[in-house]
Amino acid sequence: MEERVMELFDAKRFSELKELLLEQMPADIALLFEEIEEHERPRFFRVMPKELASEVFALLDSDLQEELICAFSDSEIKAVMDELYMDDAVDVIEEMPASVAKRILRQADSATRSIINRLLAYPEDSAGSIMTTEYVDLKRKMTVAEAFDRIRKIGLDSETVYTCYVTDSRRKLIGIVTVRELLLASLDSLIGDIMETNVIHANTMDDKESVANLFERYDFLALPVVDNEGRLVGIVTVDDAIDVLQEAATEDMEIMAAITPSEKPYFKTGVFKTFIVRIPWLMLLMISATFTGIIIGAFESNLAENAVYGIALTCFMPMIMGTAGNSGSQSSVTIIRALSLGEVRYRDIFRIIWKELRVATLCGLALGAVNIGKVLLVDNLILGRAYSMPVILVISITLFATVVFAKFIGCSLPIVAKRMGFDPAIMASPLITTIVDALSLILYFQIAVMVLGI
Amino acid sequence: MEERVMELFDAKRFSELKELLLEQMPADIALLFEEIEEHERPRFFRVMPKELASEVFALLDSDLQEELICAFSDSEIKAVMDELYMDDAVDVIEEMPASVAKRILRQADSATRSIINRLLAYPEDSAGSIMTTEYVDLKRKMTVAEAFDRIRKIGLDSETVYTCYVTDSRRKLIGIVTVRELLLASLDSLIGDIMETNVIHANTMDDKESVANLFERYDFLALPVVDNEGRLVGIVTVDDAIDVLQEAATEDMEIMAAITPSEKPYFKTGVFKTFIVRIPWLMLLMISATFTGIIIGAFESNLAENAVYGIALTCFMPMIMGTAGNSGSQSSVTIIRALSLGEVRYRDIFRIIWKELRVATLCGLALGAVNIGKVLLVDNLILGRAYSMPVILVISITLFATVVFAKFIGCSLPIVAKRMGFDPAIMASPLITTIVDALSLILYFQIAVMVLGI
C-alpha cells in the first residue's frame, strides 16, 4: 500500500490517491505520514477528505500535529478541530506550546472552547482527563422509537452510540440502555422501563488507572463519568481504557528498571531526553552503593588477615548478592503486578508475608543444598579450587538467610509504599536490590565470623 | 452489598436474594462467591436465574467451576453450558480434568460438541483459542431492515451485535457493517452497498498477542477470524483482547524478574507451585555466577599481593556490577517493551544500537565524573578512607566502559532473541545481569592491571 500511495502522490494523481486512502485505516495512514518529507506533509494532508483527515490528525505524533497546525490557515484548523472528538481535541491542545494552543482555541466557537477549557483543567491522571463529552443522552419518558431517532440525529458525532445514557432534568445520571437492548425491545416501550438503573460509573477526579481497571473487570465498552453532584459530564470509551492500561504497564516496567517513565515511543525520545530519564536512578543507585563499600571496608581487616578465607569469600560475593537481588525482585515484581491488577490489597499484607516466607524457605533450602553439591563438584573437582567445608557452609547458610530476608523485603516494601501513597513500582528491582545488597553482605560477613571464627 | 447478600442467604430468603443479585454485576457476584462456604455454593448458585448463573459461572476460578460441575446434575450442567458463549465454554472445559470435561461434553448436542472440539484443537497462543463462534452474519443481498431482523433473531446469543459480518455463499468474509452504520442508513438500502469491504482480519493460527495489538492500534470492538481458505470461523471481542494484553504485560514482567510465567492470580497459586515457578531461574543464575567466581579467582593473586589496592578494588566491586546491571536492564527493558508494543522492529537494530551507544556515552561520562567527586568527598573526606587517585581513576574508567558495554548488550540481545524466535523478555534483567556482571569484572580487573600495574 505504502509504495502505491507514494507513487500516486509523487505523480500528483490526487483523486486516485484520495480513493486509495479512503480504503485505509487511519492508524496506517498516520504511520505512513511520518515517511513523507516534511514540506510535502501539508499538501498530502489536504488530499484527504475532512473526516478522514481529522481521524488521521488525532493519531499523529504531537510534533507532526504542531508542524501541520503551523502550516494551516485558520479555516483549515477550524475544519480539523470541528471533526475531532472532544477528548482528542484536548489531547492535541495539551501537547502544543501555549501560542499554538491559543491559536487553535480561537478557531473554536465559544461553547466548544468552554468545554475544552473545562476538560483541560482536569488533573493529568484523572478520569476527567481521558473522557469525551460526546455521547447519546436519552430521557426516561422517551420511547424506543424516539431513542433511535435521537441516536440517528446525534450518533454521528458521538464516539460511541452503543451505550446510551439516561439523565433527568438536572442532568443527573439515572440509567443506561444499550443499543442491543433497544433493538430487542418493542418500538413503543419506554426507556424508563427498559433501562438498567444500577449503573457503575466513575467520578471525574477518580484515578484513570483504576477507571481503566473497571473495563477489564466488567468488560465495558464505555463508562459514564459524573461530577461531584452526580451529573453526567462525559464518558470513557474502551479504546482509551486500553491505552491507559498499556501505558500503566509500560510505566511499571520502566520504574522497575530504574527509568523515569516517559510517555513517548522509543524513537520519538531524543538521545539527551533518554539520558535524562535514565541518569537520575543510575546516579542514585551508584551513590547508595557506598553502603556496600562501607560494609566491605569494615570487614577488610578480617579479609586481609585471612588471605585464604578472604579470597574465597570474595569470590562468592557477586553470587550471593545476585541471588539475593533476584529473589527479592521475584517477590517485589509479583506483588507490584498483583497490586496493579487489583489481585491483592493492603489488608492482605500478613497473608502475603506468610506465603512469601514459606516460598522463601523452600527456595533458600534448595539453593543452599544445591550450592554444596555445585561447589564440591564444579569448583573443587572440575575447576580444581579447594574450598573447605566451613567456607562452603558459610555460603549455603548465607544463601538461605539472604533469600528469606530478600523475599520478605521484596514482598512487604511495595505494599507499604502503596499504603503510604507512593508508586509501589519504585520499590522494585533496583532500590530493593540496593537494600538487599547491603543486607546480604552484612549477613554474609556475620555468618563468616561466626562459622569461621575470623 | 456483600453483607446483605449473606444475610438473605443465611435467612433462606431466596426470592429477595435473587432480586438483589439481579442488580449486581456478574464479576462482583463471582468474587463474593469465593467467600461462601464450599458446601453452600451449589445452593447459592441455584438461587440465580439461568442466564445470570451462567455469566457468573464463566467468571469463576476453574477450581470453583470444577467443584460446582461435580455437584451438578447432568441437566444443570446442560443448562449452564447452553447459556455460555462458545469461547467461555471452551475456556471452562480446557481447565477441567479429562473425566469432568467428558461429562460436560456429553451434555452438549452434537453440533455444539463439534464446535467445541474444533476450538479446543487450536494452539494455546493462537487467535483461534480466544475467538468465539457466535456473531451476527449477514448476506450482501439483505436490506438494512432484514439485517435488523436478523440481529433481533440471533443477537441475543451473540457476544457482540455491534459489528456484523457479511459472508458469501461459501462463508467467505466479504465485508463488515456496524450497527451504527445500519442505524444511519435507510431501511431499504442493501448491505452490499453500505458494507466496508476492506476488512482487517486475523487468521485462526495468528499469535493471539499480535491480534490483541491490532485492537490497540485500530480501536476495534471486535475482529473477524478466518481460516486458511478465507472463510469466517469466529470473532475476537475487545474484552478478550484486553485480557490478552494484560496477561502479556504480566508475563513480560515475570520473565524480566526471572519468574516462569503462570496465569493464575497471586493467591490462587499455592506455595509449592510458586516455589516451582521461581526456583529454576534462581538456580540457573546462581550456578552461572560461577563465572564471576572464576574471574575473581583468576585475579586473586593480584588482589592478595597488593593488599591495599586489593581491598580498595573489592570495596567497589558491588557498585560497579550494580551500575552495569542497572544500565543494561534500563536498555533491555526499554527495548523489550518497545518490541511488544510494536514500536521497534528487527530492521531498526542499528538505529537502536547507535542511539543506545550515544545515551551510554552520556551516562558513562556523567557517572564517571560524579564518581570522582563522590569518592573524594564522601569516601575520603567524610568517611575518612584514603583511596588514591589511580584507584579512583580505575573505578571511573571502568564505570564508563561497563555502562557502554552493558547498554550495548542490553539493547541488542532482546532484538536478536526475538529474531531467533525466543521471547525477548528472557534476555532481560537477570540473564543480561549475569553476562554484564562477568563482563564488568573482566573490564574492571583489566583496567586495574593497566592503570595500577599490579
Side-chain angles (χ1 to χ4, degrees), chain A residues 141-162:
Chain A
K141 292 280 171 63
M142 282 180 177
T143 63
V144 170
E146 287 167 337
F148 277 125
D149 286 342
R150 184 150 179 85
I151 292 174
R152 285 194 192 92
K153 199 174 138 215
I154 63 171
L156 205 59
D157 291 328
S158 303
E159 195 163 340
T160 177
V161 302
Y162 300 132

Side-chain angles (χ1 to χ4, degrees), chain A residues 23 28 158 180 198 217, chain B residues 23 28 158 180 198 217 269:
Chain A
E23 284 171 20
D28 294 329
S158 303
R180 181 189 203 129
N198 192 18
R217 178 159 176 195
Chain B
E23 285 171 20
D28 293 329
S158 303
R180 182 189 202 130
N198 191 17
R217 177 157 177 197
T269 320

Side-chain angles (χ1 to χ4, degrees), chain B residues 184-318:
Chain B
L184 296 172
S186 71
L187 285 176
D188 53 2
S189 314
L190 284 181
I191 296 301
D193 295 336
I194 60 170
M195 72 183 184
E196 171 70 54
T197 53
N198 191 17
V199 183
I200 292 182
H201 57 263
N203 184 285
T204 46
M205 301 303 281
D206 285 352
D207 178 60
K208 69 179 180 185
E209 205 179 318
S210 53
V211 171
N213 281 332
L214 293 176
F215 282 81
E216 196 191 353
R217 177 157 177 197
Y218 297 119
D219 295 348
F220 290 138
L221 297 182
L223 181 78
V225 183
V226 302
D227 64 14
N228 289 331
E229 277 77 49
R231 286 181 306 231
L232 181 64
V233 288
I235 60 169
V236 174
T237 50
V238 65
D239 54 312
D240 294 321
I242 291 179
D243 292 344
V244 170
L245 290 173
Q246 289 285 77
E247 262 169 37
T250 306
E251 206 180 291
D252 278 356
M253 289 185 207
E254 286 174 337
I255 297 177
M256 286 174 191
I259 302 169
T260 317
S262 74
E263 286 192 357
K264 291 202 162 192
Y266 182 68
F267 280 125
K268 303 282 174 198
T269 320
V271 168
F272 190 71
K273 173 79 185 151
T274 305
F275 162 70
I276 289 298
V277 300
R278 293 191 189 172
I279 195 70
W281 278 103
L282 286 182
M283 210 58 101
L284 184 70
L285 295 169
M286 177 183 88
I287 293 173
S288 65
T290 307
F291 290 109
T292 52
I294 296 177
I295 296 165
I296 298 175
F299 199 70
E300 67 174 67
S301 57
N302 308 46
L303 287 177
E305 278 167 30
N306 301 271
V308 178
Y309 282 153
I311 293 292
L313 293 176
T314 307
C315 286
F316 285 100
M317 231 164 57

Side-chain angles (χ1 to χ4, degrees), chain A residues 43-348:
Chain A
R43 200 150 58 100
F44 185 91
F45 194 82
R46 288 177 186 120
V47 172
M48 290 182 280
K50 219 169 52 174
E51 200 185 337
L52 178 64
S54 294
E55 282 184 71
V56 172
F57 185 82
L59 296 167
L60 290 176
D61 194 64
S62 59
D63 299 344
L64 290 184
Q65 288 174 340
E66 189 181 335
E67 191 188 296
L68 280 175
I69 292 274
C70 294
F72 281 172
S73 70
D74 282 355
S75 64
E76 277 178 314
I77 293 180
K78 186 170 164 49
V80 168
M81 298 309 284
D82 280 352
E83 289 286 332
L84 286 184
Y85 290 123
M86 220 48 106
D87 56 341
D88 291 332
V90 170
D91 287 346
V92 170
I93 293 170
E94 236 162 15
E95 296 293 321
M96 296 293 133
S99 62
V100 181
K102 267 186 202 152
R103 186 169 162 227
I104 298 173
L105 279 172
R106 267 202 308 274
Q107 310 313 318
D109 57 61
S110 71
T112 311
R113 195 158 46 228
S114 90
I115 296 176
I116 290 178
N117 279 325
R118 188 159 49 81
L119 290 177
L120 281 172
Y122 290 115
E124 203 191 339
D125 287 332
S126 67
S129 74
I130 54 165
M131 73 184 184
T132 186
T133 53
E134 289 133 321
Y135 49 84
V136 179
D137 56 332
L138 303 176
K139 296 292 167 197
R140 184 203 293 267
K141 292 280 171 63
M142 282 180 177
T143 63
V144 170
E146 287 167 337
F148 277 125
D149 286 342
R150 184 150 179 85
I151 292 174
R152 285 194 192 92
K153 199 174 138 215
I154 63 171
L156 205 59
D157 291 328
S158 303
E159 195 163 340
T160 177
V161 302
Y162 300 132
T163 310
C164 303
Y165 301 89
V166 190
T167 53
D168 67 11
S169 56
R170 288 182 317 183
R171 289 210 302 122
K172 274 193 142 168
L173 177 67
I174 54 174
I176 59 170
V177 59
T178 63
V179 164
R180 181 189 203 129
E181 286 151 2
L182 290 176
L183 283 171
L184 295 172
S186 70
L187 285 175
D188 53 1
S189 311
L190 284 179
I191 294 302
D193 294 337
I194 61 169
M195 71 184 185
E196 172 70 54
T197 53
N198 192 18
V199 183
I200 293 183
H201 57 263
N203 185 285
T204 45
M205 300 304 280
D206 285 351
D207 177 62
K208 69 179 180 184
E209 205 179 320
S210 54
V211 171
N213 281 331
L214 293 176
F215 281 80
E216 196 192 355
R217 178 159 176 195
Y218 295 119
D219 296 347
F220 290 139
L221 298 182
L223 182 78
V225 183
V226 302
D227 64 14
N228 288 331
E229 279 76 48
R231 286 181 306 233
L232 181 64
V233 287
I235 61 169
V236 174
T237 50
V238 66
D239 54 312
D240 293 322
I242 292 179
D243 292 344
V244 170
L245 290 174
Q246 289 286 77
E247 263 170 37
T250 305
E251 205 180 292
D252 278 357
M253 288 184 209
E254 286 175 338
I255 297 177
M256 286 175 191
I259 303 169
T260 317
S262 74
E263 285 191 1
K264 291 205 164 191
Y266 182 69
F267 281 125
K268 302 284 173 197
T269 320
V271 168
F272 190 72
K273 173 78 186 153
T274 306
F275 163 70
I276 289 299
V277 299
R278 293 190 189 171
I279 195 69
W281 278 102
L282 286 182
M283 211 57 104
L284 185 71
L285 295 169
M286 177 183 89
I287 292 173
S288 66
T290 307
F291 289 110
T292 54
I294 297 177
I295 295 164
I296 298 175
F299 199 69
E300 67 173 69
S301 56
N302 307 48
L303 286 178
E305 278 167 30
N306 300 270
V308 179
Y309 282 154
I311 293 292
L313 292 176
T314 307
C315 286
F316 285 99
M317 232 165 56
M319 188 272 276
I320 286 179
M321 289 167 61
T323 305
N326 289 328
S327 301
S329 47
Q330 283 185 335
S331 298
S332 64
V333 168
T334 303
I335 296 304
I336 289 164
R337 186 62 179 159
L339 279 170
S340 87
L341 292 176
E343 289 171 6
V344 303
R345 291 172 212 188
Y346 181 71
R347 61 169 191 208
D348 298 320

Side-chain angles (χ1 to χ4, degrees), chain B residues 116-130:
Chain B
I116 290 178
N117 278 325
R118 189 159 49 81
L119 290 177
L120 280 172
Y122 290 116
E124 204 190 337
D125 287 333
S126 67
S129 76
I130 54 165

